[in-house]
Amino acid sequence: MADEKKLPFNTAVELSYLRTEEQQILFQYMSNHNMVPSMKQAKELKQISKEQMLTYSEIDQICMNESTEKVQVQIPAKKLKQYFPETYTKDQMEEIIFMLLASWAEREGKE
């Protein structure tokens, strides 16, 4: 995943210390929840792994704590570019996206 830029390199290094079985459980968790652990979460997972075998529920506990605090969405550039002229910059695309989100939220009665 680090090679494909789906997982930050330093986070991948921390997770590489997990046992193979733990990495498989974590990969399943990441797939199920469409998420990537933060560096802080990776360090916590590594620490628990040193003390005992990581379980799915322990991974959930660590990852849910932070994920409820911060939501981050990544949209591949390839998908975005189909909606914007080739000349648009990243900032221009973001501006349009946030304008559309604000309009949508207003229609839905959200602030």
Side-chain angles (χ1 to χ4, degrees):
M1 290 182 78
D3 291 342
E4 297 169 0
K5 307 282 188 250
K6 292 181 181 178
L7 184 65
F9 180 78
N10 291 335
T11 304
V13 169
E14 290 297 316
L15 296 175
S16 72
Y17 288 95
L18 302 180
R19 296 173 187 92
T20 303
E21 308 86 54
E22 294 170 328
Q23 289 180 23
Q24 290 170 346
I25 295 168
L26 177 60
F27 181 75
Q28 183 64 47
Y29 182 87
M30 291 165 55
S31 298
N32 290 347
H33 295 347
N34 194 25
M35 62 80 68
V36 173
S38 66
M39 176 59 100
K40 178 182 171 191
Q41 291 167 330
K43 287 181 178 184
E44 285 182 58
L45 293 168
K46 178 183 169 185
Q47 184 59 41
I48 290 177
S49 176
K50 283 182 182 178
E51 300 164 7
Q52 65 191 41
M53 181 73 170
L54 268 176
T55 65
Y56 192 93
S57 61
E58 288 166 330
I59 292 169
D60 186 49
Q61 217 171 13
I62 290 169
C63 294
M64 287 309 289
N65 281 344
E66 193 172 313
S67 65
T68 56
E69 297 171 11
K70 174 179 85 171
V71 174
Q72 184 176 3
V73 177
Q74 293 182 352
I75 303 171
K78 184 178 180 181
K79 283 187 177 182
L80 280 177
K81 289 186 182 210
Q82 68 183 343
Y83 299 104
F84 294 96
E86 290 181 24
T87 58
Y88 271 44
T89 66
K90 177 183 178 277
D91 290 337
Q92 288 172 311
M93 286 189 247
E94 282 183 10
E95 185 178 334
I96 301 261
I97 290 167
F98 284 115
M99 183 181 68
L100 291 168
L101 285 171
S103 174
W104 172 78
E106 191 175 297
R107 273 198 327 268
E108 295 294 313
K110 300 182 185 217
E111 294 182 32

